[in-house]
Amino acid sequence: MTHEILTWLLAGGVPLVVIVAGVGTAVGLRRRRRTQQPPAPGEGAAPTRVAAPPATGIPSQAAPPEAETLPALEPEAPEAPAPVAVETPAPTSGRLTRLRDRLARSGSPLGARLLAVLSRDRLSDADWDEIEETLLLADVGAGPTGEIVDALRTRVRVTGTGDPAQVRALLREQLLDLVDPTLDRSLDTTPTLDEDGATTPAIVLVVGVNGTGKTTTVGKLARVLVADGRTVVLGAADTFRAAAAEQLTTWGARVGVPTVRADREGADPASVAFDAVRAARADGADVVLVDTAGRLQNKAGLMDELGKITRVLTRTAPLSEVLLVLDATTGQNGLNQARVFTEVAGVTGIVLTKLDGTAKGGIVVAVQRELGVPVKLVGLGEGPDDLAPFDPEAFVDGLLGA
């Protein structure tokens, strides 16, 4: 029996052993293959993420050593700013005529009303009251108004004239005396020599309150000086308004004038002004125009800062001009501003903006009589060349509609 069982195993069991061995071998192969492959997501460890290299071609630190590095890309060149065409400003000589023409076309109520009243056959007390009211509304000021009314009453009584041409000549004479053509209205823009014999540019400081068009006036003044053959450097010392520096830079670029400005908003204005003078010296420029922040006359801190700018600049060279920009439409308020600025900065001249088409032209008389400071420049409009040297005769003729 034992012999039969052994015979059966030898005859039929060998294939079974082969089959079992084959199955074991297959299972072993599958196990080895699974250990060589990374686990799929959700099976075992988390998958490895290979970061793509940046566009510059520098491999990311998270990339494996065998990761392929992309070739470096050439950085795109920034677009060059469009060149600003350098303009040739209009000569200043023709601007004096435009002052008279624009005032005449505006139909100034000051001259028109005075001529209408003075041309009447007989002047009553009510007529003289109307003349006085007209002058006061034009911001001539109480003192100058009384003087002109008294002088006119005396002359009319003596001559007894009602002829419009004679009345106009009489009124022109009185107004011209008030404007005072004898005042020196020239701008001091001539470079000087310091103690070492080096050339020092003329320094013009421009001050004024917000809203008077101060920064625009500085840009227009640069055009006036360029038209007169001067070389100019602009100093953007209004560091509290980024738009002011941008605006001034644009004005300068249009006539080929460089602008010195701060590299950040809120920088020290006195430092910017000093750097502008230093740059002008290095370039051999004739004039430095320094724009300052708009100041409210009742802000002591801001006025102290303006005083600091003045002190810093005068250590380098004396100020050639301190120009106060006033809005002609502000009337007597402008006179209050002028008083404070004169005390702090030593104003040497007035720039009146928005003079054309306004009944406030009498502020010319009031400012000069109260401060002894002449009006040197007037703004005639919104154009880039609408800033002109002030001419008393052209101004009075414009008021009278000549």
Side-chain angles (χ1 to χ4, degrees), residues 38-204:
E43 298 180 2
T48 302
R49 295 181 181 178
V50 180
T56 57
I58 303 175
S60 171
Q61 294 180 355
E66 63 270 16
E68 182 181 358
T69 301
L70 295 178
L73 299 178
E74 292 293 334
E76 294 184 2
E79 294 184 3
V84 178
V86 177
E87 303 173 3
T88 302
T92 57
S93 57
R95 303 182 189 187
L96 302 178
T97 303
R98 283 191 293 168
L99 167 62
R100 182 183 62 192
D101 294 342
R102 290 195 179 194
L103 287 173
R105 288 199 306 268
S106 69
S108 169
L110 172 61
R113 287 186 63 181
L114 291 178
L115 284 174
V117 176
L118 289 172
S119 298
R120 296 170 185 170
D121 293 336
R122 297 183 62 181
L123 296 178
S124 62
D125 290 340
D127 293 329
W128 288 110
D129 289 342
E130 184 178 350
I131 292 174
E132 183 177 2
E133 179 184 5
T134 300
L135 292 170
L136 289 174
L137 290 175
D139 284 316
V140 173
T145 293
E147 293 179 16
I148 193 171
V149 169
D150 291 342
L152 286 173
R153 293 189 76 158
T154 301
R155 295 288 297 273
V156 169
R157 186 182 303 112
V158 171
T159 59
T161 180
D163 180 67
Q166 294 184 10
V167 168
R168 184 192 176 283
L170 177 61
L171 182 57
R172 182 182 186 277
E173 180 182 344
Q174 294 299 318
L175 290 175
L176 195 57
D177 287 343
L178 285 178
V179 176
D180 194 354
T182 64
L183 293 176
D184 183 11
R185 303 178 192 276
S186 61
L187 285 178
D188 184 4
T189 57
T190 303
T192 59
L193 296 179
D194 59 17
E195 297 178 353
D196 299 330
T199 301
T200 300
I203 304 175
V204 179

